[in-house]
Amino acid sequence: MEDEIAGDLLRGVKRIAQFINEDERATYHKLATGRLPGGKEGAQWVASKRVLREHYEKITAGRAA
């Protein structure tokens, strides 16, 4: 289970931005305004690859939250 969680987590805006192929500044803004699913662990943004995929699947299917 720990390996599953570790493999799913992205730590830091840079890694999240790389995963979604987005500019770091835009990614930070989306995270900070709640337009992108993620959270803060201390001062660092963290996100789940699975949740990000689901988020973009909803958008591309026309069911954005």
Side-chain angles (χ1 to χ4, degrees):
M1 172 107 169
E2 285 183 35
D3 289 336
E4 291 176 26
I5 293 171
D8 183 56
L9 279 181
L10 296 166
R11 295 184 178 278
V13 173
K14 182 176 184 172
R15 298 228 17 236
I16 297 167
Q18 289 171 339
F19 182 75
I20 63 171
N21 196 30
E22 179 77 75
D23 176 81
E24 286 182 48
R25 185 174 176 179
T27 299
Y28 175 84
H29 185 268
K30 289 177 183 179
L31 287 164
T33 58
R35 292 178 45 221
L36 195 61
K40 289 195 98 177
E41 187 174 69
Q44 185 177 56
W45 282 99
V46 294
S48 161
K49 292 177 186 177
R50 180 185 54 79
V51 173
L52 289 169
R53 282 188 192 101
E54 289 171 358
H55 172 74
Y56 283 106
E57 285 173 6
K58 287 178 185 176
I59 289 173
T60 58
R63 301 184 317 257

